Amino acid sequence: MTHALMWFRQDLRCADNTALFAACESRDTAVTALYCLTPEQWIEHDVAGVRIDFERRHLATLQRDLAALNIPLVLIKASRYADLPDRIASLVQSLGITALHANRQYEIHEQVRDRAVTKSLSSLGVDCHWHEDLCILPPASVLTNDGRFYTVFTPFKRNWLVQLQERPIRLLSVPKARQKSLTQSDVIPEHWGGLTSAISPETADHLWPVGEAHAWQRLQVFIADDVALYDQKRNYPAINGTSTLSPYLAAGILSARQCLVLAQQAAHLGAAARAGCEVWISELCWRDFYKHILIGFPHVCRHQAFKLETDALPWRHDDALFQAWCEGRTGYPIVDAAMRQLKATGWMHNRLRMIVAMFLSKDLFIDWRWGERHFMQHLIDGDLAANNGGWQWAASTGNDAAPYFRIFNPTLQGPKFDPEGEFILRFVPELKGLSGKLLHEPHSKGMSPLFARYPRPIVNHAEAREFTLAQFKALG
Ligand SMILES: Cc1cc2nc3c(=O)[nH]c(=O)nc-3n(C[C@H](O)[C@H](O)[C@H](O)COP(=O)(O)OP(=O)(O)OC[C@H]3O[C@@H](n4cnc5c(N)ncnc54)[C@H](O)[C@@H]3O)c2cc1C
């Protein structure tokens, strides 16, 4: 009997999992699943405690789902990626593994790690199969006419949609149960190293329940109830206008293909839902686009701007201003509410991510990499490709980024996207009792003793805007 090892990474699910499906292709193959804990590496990569805790909670449910397929889940606890080739080689030898299957990851360190694992296992005569699974269409399959990676989203999306029309996506089923399992599952430890979640276990369970069944249900509810109005509701953080599926997609509890197929089906059901579905599918396309950028332009994984010339900008490195931003004490209610949402829930609405990222990089002129890192350290859906793409968009250093002269006015963003201040008041209770213009500019009529606890704006937007424009213009 052959014995395959399925290494789970950003694909913590049984359904529509390319590598798992391939590992289970032959009924006679026994399969053991592997998950690696690498706490020091996570810290080095700024992975948020809330994200690790989410995976830890979810892994127990994945272990149960795999047990029903006769696939035991074993763990390797190492410090860093560099330790893994030897540790996996020892496991492979002790279990008599004949092949390893995993879905490819696109970040630089992950690729170096996988090449080292291939080398180590090939010396033992064990084949490694790296499958394409994380994107709807894999990197290098959506290229310009002259074979280059796209740097602009709109033509990328056009090509992406044509390919999907020509070759519709078919979802893979959960593999059939194995006849036999050849090893025992490991006990999943309660603590996974030095990272602790910033949100309480009760809040985490309430906001972000785990399990593939839950994620699938969340997707179905969104498609049934909300996707039709997504195009109209997605910019208003006070309402549930978006799917909140990003943590499940980032950990691979759902595949982006599953999301796409359900949205395509909903779009076919009636014209009323079509616009919402199309805009939502566009967001899934942005997800692919930014992952492709990692492969086409790997320098963005090395803390470099996509547009290298913008690395010459004299970004400010001001700890006090940065801390005020991190803690939601900037004196701009919409910015502060957003930053406090991140701290309280591990997640932030997309419109707000754009507002706070632009505020940090354009109003405070603080290095966008500081913000990118803070996001990674706090987001439950932290994902290098999407996060880096979003930050470089806001800072005008990225591919297809906001032009440098497009600078949101943080005072106007509040009335525009949270007109009643409902969202702001949820996270900035100091402002209770205010409404209308005063809620969005609490100190505009001088300092009221009632709101003395709420800070004055830490920066004058008009002056900051002029300063930032001058820095970009000086680049030539
Ligand atoms: C500065 C900044 C940082 C960001 N950091 C991350 C991050 O670390 N992880 C992350 O998953 N997303 C990130 N995004 C993208 C986006 O904000 C989130 O994906 C979205 O808010 C998640 O909420 P949702 O699941 O309700 O999204 P929906 O609106 O329901 O969209 C569905 C899915 O599409 C994908 N998606 C949506 N918008 C984008 C986008 N602009 N870029 C890439 N994928 C997208 C996500 O997987 C999302 O779950 C960032 C955006 C900005 C501006």
Side-chain angles (χ1 to χ4, degrees):
M1 180 179 251
T2 50
H3 190 182
L5 187 65
M6 163 65 200
W7 182 7
F8 282 94
R9 296 103 70 91
Q10 275 180 294
D11 50 359
L12 305 180
R13 65 183 184 278
C14 295
D16 195 42
N17 185 324
T18 313
L20 178 65
F21 196 81
C24 295
E25 200 166 11
S26 157
R27 277 313 300 278
D28 299 332
T29 305
V31 177
T32 293
L34 168 68
Y35 181 88
C36 298
L37 284 69
T38 49
E40 277 180 32
Q41 193 75 52
W42 292 334
I43 291 171
E44 202 178 299
H45 283 177
D46 297 313
V47 184
V50 66
R51 162 95 200 254
I52 295 300
D53 182 61
F54 182 62
E55 291 205 6
R56 182 190 62 76
R57 289 185 292 124
H58 174 70
L59 209 62
T61 73
L62 179 65
Q63 191 171 46
R64 279 197 295 276
D65 293 345
L66 289 168
L69 304 178
N70 246 336
I71 299 178
L73 174 70
V74 300
L75 305 176
I76 285 179
K77 186 166 180 188
S79 295
R80 315 186 71 259
Y81 286 166
D83 305 325
L84 290 178
D86 285 349
R87 297 291 301 277
I88 294 177
S90 305
L91 181 78
V92 157
Q93 280 180 305
S94 67
L95 297 182
I97 297 289
T98 43
L100 176 137
H101 291 266
N103 291 313
R104 254 182 99 198
Q105 289 181 284
Y106 304 121
E107 298 85 350
I108 279 186
H109 290 161
E110 282 68 8
Q111 295 210 39
V112 169
R113 175 200 64 195
D114 290 352
R115 279 198 294 273
V117 169
T118 303
K119 196 169 164 205
S120 162
L121 297 199
S122 69
S123 67
L124 301 174
V126 173
D127 287 335
C128 293
H129 304 274
W130 307 107
H131 302 270
E132 295 292 352
D133 179 85
L134 258 55
C135 293
I136 292 172
L137 294 178
S141 68
V142 187
L143 298 173
T144 61
N145 285 340
D146 53 358
R148 292 169 201 266
F149 278 83
Y150 283 96
T151 57
V152 178
F153 177 70
T154 307
F156 173 87
K157 182 178 148 191
R158 213 176 293 128
N159 185 333
W160 188 84
L161 287 172
V162 168
Q163 294 203 35
L164 287 175
Q165 209 160 20
E166 287 169 357
R167 281 178 285 120
I169 296 288
R170 284 208 180 78
L171 299 179
L172 299 169
S173 57
V174 174
K176 294 212 165 56
R178 305 291 88 197
Q179 290 161 356
K180 209 170 162 186
S181 75
L182 297 180
T183 181
Q184 294 278 315
S185 279
D186 284 335
V187 174
I188 298 171
E190 275 294 301
H191 299 287
W192 280 16
L195 284 160
T196 47
S197 173
I199 66 177
S200 71
E202 296 74 33
T203 308
D205 276 339
H206 171 67
L207 291 177
W208 311 114
V210 291
E212 198 172 331
H214 168 78
W216 181 243
Q217 187 198 9
R218 201 167 171 124
L219 169 62
Q220 285 179 312
V221 169
F222 172 73
I223 295 290
D225 297 349
D226 298 312
V227 77
L229 293 179
Y230 178 77
D231 54 322
Q232 293 162 46
K233 289 172 143 187
R234 70 191 178 119
N235 277 316
Y236 302 98
I239 52 180
N240 296 329
T242 72
S243 69
T244 64
L245 287 171
S246 50
Y248 303 90
L249 281 161
I253 300 171
L254 277 180
S255 76
R257 289 181 301 271
Q258 291 172 315
C259 296
L260 175 79
V261 167
L262 261 64
Q264 285 175 329
Q265 286 167 359
H268 282 124
L269 285 181
R274 199 161 301 138
C277 291
E278 281 173 2
V279 176
W280 198 60
I281 289 172
S282 235
E283 299 306 320
L284 298 172
C285 184
W286 273 105
R287 182 180 176 277
D288 268 17
F289 179 60
Y290 283 139
K291 286 200 187 300
H292 290 210
I293 291 287
L294 294 191
I295 293 289
F297 307 93
H299 66 279
V300 300
C301 296
R302 294 199 189 95
H303 307 294
Q304 289 175 330
F306 180 89
K307 289 181 193 151
L308 285 166
E309 68 277 14
T310 60
D311 273 340
L313 285 163
W315 297 110
R316 244 184 232 130
H317 295 103
D318 184 318
D319 282 316
L321 287 178
F322 181 63
Q323 278 314 314
W325 176 83
C326 292
E327 290 164 18
R329 292 187 285 102
T330 67
Y332 287 95
I334 192 76
V335 173
D336 293 342
M339 295 307 293
R340 295 184 200 186
Q341 179 184 39
L342 175 61
K343 203 168 167 191
T345 68
W347 185 85
M348 192 193 286
H349 188 279
N350 179 60
R351 170 54 54 183
L352 302 175
R353 294 187 205 209
M354 291 159 74
I355 294 173
V356 303
M358 195 160 285
F359 183 82
L360 186 84
S361 57
K362 300 280 178 63
D363 281 89
L364 301 182
F365 200 64
I366 285 179
D367 195 330
W368 57 272
R369 282 161 280 233
W370 284 27
E372 181 195 19
R373 183 163 186 233
H374 181 78
F375 264 34
M376 279 307 274
Q377 289 171 338
H378 291 84
L379 278 172
I380 191 165
D381 62 20
D383 171 81
L384 193 151
N387 195 40
N388 184 275
W391 273 96
Q392 296 222 45
W393 175 86
S396 304
T397 61
N399 58 301
D400 208 1
Y404 75 86
F405 46 81
R406 184 170 173 208
I407 301 182
F408 295 161
N409 180 330
T411 308
L412 301 183
Q413 293 292 304
K416 197 165 173 192
F417 296 110
D418 188 28
E420 305 303 320
E422 199 185 328
F423 177 80
I424 291 174
L425 289 174
R426 227 179 274 163
F427 289 98
V428 190
E430 303 99 290
L431 298 178
K432 279 212 168 94
L434 290 183
S435 60
K437 184 173 186 287
L438 214 51
L439 175 65
H440 298 289
E441 283 183 89
H443 297 301
S444 56
K445 291 195 174 152
M447 184 72 123
S448 156
L450 206 56
F451 314 113
R453 283 189 303 133
Y454 187 68
R456 283 177 171 278
I458 57 170
V459 66
N460 175 304
H461 172 67
E463 288 169 15
R465 183 173 184 280
E466 287 312 312
F467 176 82
T468 298
L469 289 177
Q471 305 312 310
F472 272 93
K473 278 183 195 149
L475 275 183

